[in-house]
């Protein structure tokens, strides 16, 4: 399940950042997977959270017989008088998840072997590297990624947002011939794709960084649009 979820994310991240910028990226991200177990203990993925909460506190009703020494809180977090306290379960699980992730990043950046921590455990036991080299979805999407990444002198097809329809078709056609050894089919589908691509301008403007926040939804739409176009054209 985790491999399938990450396999779907990888082409989107590549199409968003571009292959040239990928080598300079020294970031990591923790995803949260909400899973439901049925009566046969079979897991079902409900959703994938890109920014799961790392808080370790919890809110519970204030009980007179056990919380008399603690002040009652009446904030809007809970409908009745309550108490805020540290959640032991969250402390253990989230502390290990974040702590071991940071240990793996430190080992990767510094090139040093990481030793198991008495408090956190062995990061390589907590985390397992996913083998995605032969994942069927990524194998099927490789031609799409190759076509996307080769356009615009290696900057990725997202850099073609200012091209005219004719320029976009010429750019796709040149790399199509190199990849598939045949001419790019011309027709209504390609014209619709060029029009949709140009109408959805790739946005990287913002106020908090030089390049600004990335509009991932639009990048994802256009990458999937290219994949759909290639399937329609029989690539």
């Amino acid at each position: 399940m985790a491999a399938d979820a990450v396999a779907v994310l990888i082409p989107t991240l590549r199409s968003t950042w571009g292959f040239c910028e990928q080598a300079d990226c020294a970031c990591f991200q923790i995803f949260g997977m909400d899973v439901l177990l049925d009566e046969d203990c079979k897991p079902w993925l409900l959703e994938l959270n890109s920014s799961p909460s790392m808080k370790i506190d919890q809110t519970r009703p204030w009980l007179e017989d056990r919380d008399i020494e603690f002040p009652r809180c009446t904030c809007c977090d809970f409908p009745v008088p309550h108490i805020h306290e540290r959640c032991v379960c969250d402390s253990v699980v989230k502390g290990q998840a974040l702590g071991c992730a940071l240990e793996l990043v430190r080992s990767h950046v510094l090139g040093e072997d990481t030793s198991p921590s008495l408090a956190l455990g062995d990061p390589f036991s907590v985390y397992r590297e996913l083998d995605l080299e032969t994942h069927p979805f990524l194998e099927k999407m490789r031609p799409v990624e190759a076509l996307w990444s080769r356009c615009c002198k290696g900057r990725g097809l997202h850099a073609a947002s200012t091209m005219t329809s004719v320029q976009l078709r010429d750019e796709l056609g040149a790399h199509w011939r190199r990849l598939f050894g045949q001419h790019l089919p011309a027709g209504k589908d390609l014209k619709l794709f060029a029009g949709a691509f140009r109408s959805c301008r790739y946005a990287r403007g913002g106020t908090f960084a030089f390049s600004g926040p990335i509009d991932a939804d639009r990048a994802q739409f256009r990458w999937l649009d290219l994949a759909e176009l290639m399937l329609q054209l029989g690539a």
Side-chain angles (χ1 to χ4, degrees):
M1 181 184 295
D4 291 341
V6 175
V8 174
L9 289 172
I10 286 178
T12 301
L13 294 174
R14 287 173 178 166
S15 67
T16 305
W17 281 100
F19 283 73
C20 293
E21 299 177 51
Q22 178 179 313
D24 299 328
C25 181
C27 305
F28 78 98
Q29 184 166 353
I30 295 178
F31 290 94
M33 300 178 68
D34 290 346
V35 178
L36 178 69
L37 298 178
D38 62 18
E39 61 273 12
D40 298 321
C41 293
K42 179 182 178 179
W44 295 87
L45 178 63
L46 299 179
E47 65 175 350
L48 186 67
N49 298 316
S50 60
S51 56
S53 172
M54 300 306 290
K55 292 182 178 180
I56 59 172
D57 62 327
Q58 66 178 359
T59 304
R60 62 169 178 81
W62 185 87
L63 303 175
E64 185 175 359
D65 58 340
R66 57 178 291 190
D67 300 321
I68 192 65
E69 70 274 17
F70 299 108
R72 289 183 296 178
C73 182
T74 57
C75 72
C76 59
D77 286 354
F78 214 68
V80 298
H82 56 275
I83 184 174
H84 298 271
E85 64 182 7
R86 174 173 169 267
C87 177
V88 177
C89 181
D90 278 351
S91 297
V92 174
V93 174
K94 295 179 179 180
Q96 188 179 60
L98 184 58
C100 288
L102 292 173
E103 280 295 316
L104 291 174
V105 171
R106 183 182 67 83
S107 174
H108 175 74
V109 172
L110 300 180
E112 299 177 354
D113 293 334
T114 175
S115 56
S117 167
L118 293 178
L120 300 175
D122 183 7
F124 292 99
S125 297
V126 175
Y127 285 96
R128 179 173 60 88
E129 185 174 0
L130 298 175
D131 183 13
L132 299 175
E133 289 298 323
T134 58
H135 193 280
F137 178 79
L138 290 177
E139 286 189 336
K140 188 173 184 179
M141 292 297 107
R142 279 198 180 103
V144 184
E145 288 196 83
L147 182 60
W148 182 284
S149 63
R150 293 190 185 191
C151 288
C152 302
K153 299 180 180 179
R155 291 179 295 159
L157 195 56
H158 60 69
S161 58
T162 58
M163 285 184 174
T164 66
S165 297
V166 174
Q167 289 173 329
L168 180 57
R169 288 198 298 269
D170 290 344
E171 182 79 10
L172 285 171
H175 295 290
W176 190 288
R177 287 192 299 272
R178 295 189 183 98
L179 283 171
F180 305 114
Q182 58 186 5
H183 290 286
L184 177 65
K188 181 180 178 181
D189 290 335
L190 185 57
K191 293 178 181 179
L192 289 176
F193 168 75
F197 185 88
R198 291 186 60 229
S199 67
C200 185
R201 191 172 187 277
Y202 188 81
R204 297 191 76 172
T207 57
F208 299 104
F210 177 76
S211 61
I214 292 177
D215 193 339
D217 289 338
R218 292 184 179 179
Q220 182 182 19
F221 163 76
R222 282 197 295 272
W223 178 82
L224 293 176
D225 201 12
L226 176 61
E228 183 179 358
L229 173 69
M230 294 178 66
L231 291 174
Q232 290 175 355
L233 298 177

